């Protein structure tokens, strides 16, 4: 078989382990693996594919990012792009394509699969907001990066008796904020799923200070909902999938906290640091298991399916089911976390 592989959407640690695993699992069958560069853009623009073999995938297990490159390309936005993609796909003589991506890339995969293209999906995103799988790779690395940042901010916050506001990624889902905030002992966590009032935030900080604490750490997801506030955007521009680029809520929040509490406040926006660098052991192993399973699905011609983690098992689910609705934080989990606020 001739198997194509592409990585689409925002990059994340663990993509290279998946690519390596696909190659290592496919070669013993005598299959050929080719890498499509820059996500769906590689097919739309007919970029020369990258040969994937033992030589080209050696030494990439521990490397962040993706050797194939990525992009946020939505071929369904433009009729000509879509027809080029289909024509170029046929020209590559692929028997199957493994698409590694989040809701957007796999959303395109769902549509192509419905049109009869042989696609298998692999879920990735640091946001962990894809349905159908317990975890996506990249998430554990991002959570650990944020936890380490919180630990570092903790010591300086304590020394200076300051409030530290830490902004993390997550436009619709607060998984990173919640996990890293819990692991780092944050005193308040604000996420997109559950809105809070400014009075509640101030009250929580004041209550904590009233019991003798002289510093606080507030973790805020970029898409957090503060009642009466608009989402804070980096630019007015939308990406090809219609998403706005968020970022900057921590600055307004920090100013408001300082003004209303009188406590000196500092802000850290972690940004793309959360997405870069080496994957954790968990993400390397999950990526490796996903890659091997993706090849199994290709061999079984289980197209239109995506590999997924369910408990400790790697299973397959329909891509269409996984992309129908985002997986967001449930009330119970947020309630548990809020026991540690203040
Ligand atoms: O990959 C998802 C994500 O990490 C979001 O949490 C974030 O809002 C977005 O990517 C930012 O992506 P970019 O800067 O690459 O457009």
């Amino acid at each position: 078989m001739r198997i194509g592989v592409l990585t689409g959407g925002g990059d994340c640690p663990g993509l290279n382990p998946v690519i390596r695993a696909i190659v290592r699992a496919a070669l013993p069958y005598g299959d050929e693996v080719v890498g499509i560069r820059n996500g769906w853009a590689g097919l739309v623009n007919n970029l020369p594919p990258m040969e994937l073999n033992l030589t080209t995938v050696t030494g990439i297990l521990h490397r962040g990012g993706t050797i194939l490159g990525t992009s946020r390309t939505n071929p369904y936005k433009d009729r000509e792009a879509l027809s080029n993609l289909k024509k170029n796909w046929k020209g590559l003589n692929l028997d199957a394509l493994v698409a590694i991506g989040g809701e957007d890339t796999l959303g395109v995969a769902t549509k192509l699969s419905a049109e009869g293209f042989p696609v298998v999906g692999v879920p990735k995103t640091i946001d962990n907001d894809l349905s159908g799988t317990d975890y996506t790779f990249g998430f554990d690395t991002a959570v650990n990066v944020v936890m380490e940042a919180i630990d570092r901010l903790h010591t300086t916050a304590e020394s200076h008796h300051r409030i530290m506001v830490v902004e993390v990624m997550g436009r619709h889902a607060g998984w990173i904020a919640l996990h890293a905030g819990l692991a780092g002992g944050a005193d308040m966590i604000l996420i997109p799923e559950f809105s809070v009032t400014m009075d509640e935030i101030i009250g929580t900080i004041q209550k904590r200070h009233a019991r003798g604490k002289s510093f606080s750490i507030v973790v805020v997801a970029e898409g957090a909902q503060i009642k009466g506030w608009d989402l804070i955007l980096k630019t007015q521009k939308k990406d090809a999938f219609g998403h706005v680029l968020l970022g900057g809520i921590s600055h307004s929040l920090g100013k408001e906290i300082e003004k209303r509490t009188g406590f000196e406040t500092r802000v850290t926006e972690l940004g793309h640091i959360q997405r870069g660098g080496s994957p954790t052991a968990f993400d390397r192993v999950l990526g490796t298991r996903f890659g091997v399973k993706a090849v199994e699905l290709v061999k079984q011609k289980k197209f239109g399916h995506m590999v997924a983690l369910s408990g400790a098992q790697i299973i397959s689910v329909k891509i269409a089911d996984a992309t129908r609705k985002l997986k967001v934080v449930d009330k119970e989990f947020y309630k548990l976390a809020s026991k540690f606020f203040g």
Side-chain angles (χ1 to χ4, degrees):
M1 284 179 109
R2 186 166 149 87
I3 305 170
V5 182
L6 66 77
T7 52
D11 71 336
C12 88
L15 288 166
N16 284 328
V18 181
I19 297 167
R20 169 182 176 268
I22 290 170
V23 173
R24 296 287 291 261
L27 293 187
Y29 289 105
D31 290 340
E32 190 189 349
V33 188
V34 291
I36 311 296
R37 294 174 203 267
N38 302 345
W40 298 117
L43 284 174
V44 171
N45 302 321
N46 209 17
L47 301 178
M50 180 191 218
E51 206 187 311
L52 292 176
N53 53 37
L54 289 182
T55 311
T56 48
V57 302
T58 194
I60 64 168
L61 177 64
H62 61 284
R63 274 170 57 190
T66 160
I67 58 165
L68 294 176
T70 186
S71 68
R72 294 191 190 277
T73 304
N74 183 0
Y76 279 92
K77 248 188 93 182
D78 172 352
R79 207 187 277 185
E80 197 185 332
L82 187 60
S83 96
N84 285 342
L85 178 147
K86 291 177 181 172
K87 185 179 79 206
N88 297 330
W89 181 322
K90 298 220 163 102
L92 282 172
N93 292 319
L94 299 178
D95 298 298
L97 177 75
V98 181
I100 313 170
E103 47 151 342
D104 298 328
T105 304
L106 295 181
V108 172
T110 308
K111 290 182 185 159
L112 286 167
S113 164
E115 293 193 50
F117 285 84
V119 197
V120 158
V122 176
K124 72 88 226 181
T125 164
I126 63 163
D127 298 330
N128 197 40
D129 57 0
L130 205 72
S131 295
T133 183
D134 289 352
Y135 288 101
T136 48
F137 62 85
F139 172 64
D140 185 63
T141 306
V143 166
N144 277 286
V145 168
V146 177
M147 182 191 71
E148 196 198 319
I150 296 173
D151 286 350
R152 288 174 185 278
L153 290 167
H154 222 117
T155 59
T156 169
E158 196 165 5
S159 308
H160 285 267
H161 318 294
R162 282 174 173 158
I163 314 288
M164 290 290 182
V165 179
V166 192
E167 179 173 331
V168 303
M169 280 185 171
R171 32 186 169 209
H172 307 295
W175 295 109
I176 296 178
L178 204 60
H179 276 244
L182 267 175
D187 305 302
M188 179 109 210
I189 304 169
L190 309 175
I191 62 174
E193 292 87 337
F194 303 102
S195 61
V196 289
T197 62
M198 203 57 219
D199 285 349
E200 284 168 316
I201 299 170
I202 300 299
T204 303
I205 294 170
Q206 281 170 336
K207 199 176 91 199
R208 177 175 154 80
H209 286 239
R211 66 176 171 90
K213 293 289 184 184
S214 68
F215 73 97
S216 290
I217 305 223
V218 178
V219 175
V220 58
E222 60 187 352
Q225 303 280 339
I226 301 177
K227 279 190 189 126
W229 286 33
D230 290 330
L231 278 178
I232 296 185
L233 311 183
K234 274 261 184 276
T235 70
Q236 294 298 325
K237 258 182 27 200
K238 290 190 176 164
D239 70 16
F241 292 91
H243 301 301
V244 288
L245 187 60
L246 298 179
I249 188 172
S250 52
H251 299 281
S252 315
L253 182 62
K255 272 195 204 121
E256 196 62 19
I257 290 176
E258 187 167 272
K259 193 172 95 194
R260 291 186 52 177
T261 62
F263 300 130
E264 201 177 16
T265 303
R266 293 287 187 268
V267 165
T268 305
E269 197 181 328
L270 287 173
H272 293 79
I273 286 176
Q274 295 161 87
R275 255 178 31 195
S278 268
T280 56
F282 181 87
D283 284 338
R284 293 180 201 193
V285 174
L286 185 59
T288 299
R289 295 178 74 197
F290 276 176
V292 171
K293 181 74 174 181
V295 172
E296 270 175 38
L297 297 188
V298 167
K299 301 312 289 181
Q300 295 161 3
K301 297 203 165 49
K302 234 174 147 182
F303 300 126
H305 278 71
M306 172 189 103
V307 303
L309 179 69
S310 171
Q313 305 299 319
I314 306 294
I315 60 160
S316 74
V317 297
K318 285 197 177 131
I319 311 179
D321 291 341
T323 50
R324 200 161 291 133
K325 193 163 128 257
L326 276 187
K327 182 182 72 188
V328 293
V329 172
D330 56 279
K331 214 173 176 171
E332 280 310 301
F333 193 14
Y334 192 62
K335 224 168 104 189
L336 179 148
S338 65
K339 290 187 192 301
F340 298 89
F341 295 174

